[in-house]
Amino acid sequence: MTTTKYSQLVRLLTTTSLIALPALATTSEQDAFFDSIAAHCGKAFEGTVTAGNSADSAFSGKKLIMHVRECSETELKVPFHVGGDHSRTWVISKTQYGLHLAHDHRHKDGTADKVTMYGGMTANMGSAEQQSFPVDAYSINNFRENGLDVSITNVWHMYIEPGEFTYRLTREERDFRVDFDLTKPIAPPPAPWGHE
């Protein structure tokens, strides 16, 4: 790259960095939902599968733990540990379009799985107790590229009440649900793979 082109690039980056980012546009219901999870920051809770089928056999007989591990004003990172598998982290973010849920999947060495950061954006305001995240275009493409066409109609749901948090996945012929007891915090698990 020539010095002139480099200077133009630096000027362009400097100029564009001054452009204001779009304001976050979560509803009061979404903010209340987000804050209810954030109120448990630093705590871990054990869960139980309360709905599922043979596709969910990887969760059978394993200790299931959610850990509200990292919290900022715009993002929550909640690792979901399945026995000794520390590959999954739910990432709930406030955006200009509402709340977004992503599933951060890592290998044991910390590298990203080829199926990762999939999820969806809220399609409506939901409520302070419940939010649903229909699969987004990025996730549909990622699933198709990796032979997971069965997942292209996924809808993820999260529910929070004073004593219980629920993670649920629904699609045709699949309804997977894990309920976590928020009344009994447990010792936090180790860091999820790829996180410090």
Side-chain angles (χ1 to χ4, degrees):
M1 181 181 286
T2 66
T3 305
T4 305
K5 285 186 176 177
Y6 179 77
S7 300
Q8 289 171 339
L9 178 61
V10 169
R11 196 163 39 251
L12 175 66
L13 291 173
T14 305
T15 305
T16 54
S17 68
L18 299 176
I19 297 170
L21 293 172
L24 300 180
T26 48
T27 66
S28 58
E29 292 85 357
Q30 291 166 348
D31 288 339
F33 173 84
F34 184 97
D35 292 345
S36 291
I37 299 173
H40 297 284
C41 202
K43 296 178 182 174
F45 307 95
E46 192 165 353
T48 305
V49 174
T50 54
N53 59 28
S54 59
D56 306 308
S57 58
F59 301 91
S60 299
K62 306 270 178 64
K63 191 166 189 176
L64 306 178
I65 299 172
M66 65 172 281
H67 181 197
V68 187
R69 188 170 186 268
E70 294 179 47
C71 309
S72 74
E73 292 196 6
T74 58
E75 186 176 80
L76 304 173
K77 291 187 177 179
V78 184
F80 174 38
H81 302 267
V82 180
D85 182 342
H86 309 296
S87 64
R88 303 169 177 86
T89 300
W90 303 320
V91 183
I92 305 160
S93 307
K94 292 184 180 182
T95 78
Q96 59 179 324
Y97 306 109
L99 290 179
H100 184 264
L101 169 67
H103 297 72
D104 181 351
H105 278 212
R106 307 284 184 97
H107 295 291
K108 204 166 189 174
D109 65 2
T111 58
D113 192 275
K114 61 184 179 180
V115 180
T116 190
M117 299 313 286
Y118 61 85
M121 187 76 62
T122 50
N124 55 47
M125 67 181 67
S127 72
E129 296 80 28
Q130 175 184 348
Q131 295 291 328
S132 295
F133 306 88
V135 65
D136 59 23
Y138 163 81
S139 305
I140 290 171
N141 290 336
N142 184 267
F143 290 148
R144 283 184 169 147
E145 286 170 5
N146 290 286
L148 297 173
D149 288 25
V150 70
S151 299
I152 65 171
T153 58
N154 280 5
V155 181
W156 295 272
H157 314 267
M158 289 182 165
Y159 312 85
I160 187 161
E161 295 175 1
E164 187 173 74
F165 175 87
T166 297
Y167 170 87
R168 184 180 180 200
L169 163 64
T170 60
R171 64 173 181 249
E172 190 174 346
E173 298 185 13
R174 179 126 189 243
D175 188 347
F176 171 70
R177 177 177 175 139
V178 185
D179 295 331
F180 297 87
D181 184 351
L182 299 182
T183 68
K184 298 175 183 172
I186 63 171
W193 296 337
H195 297 260
E196 304 249 333

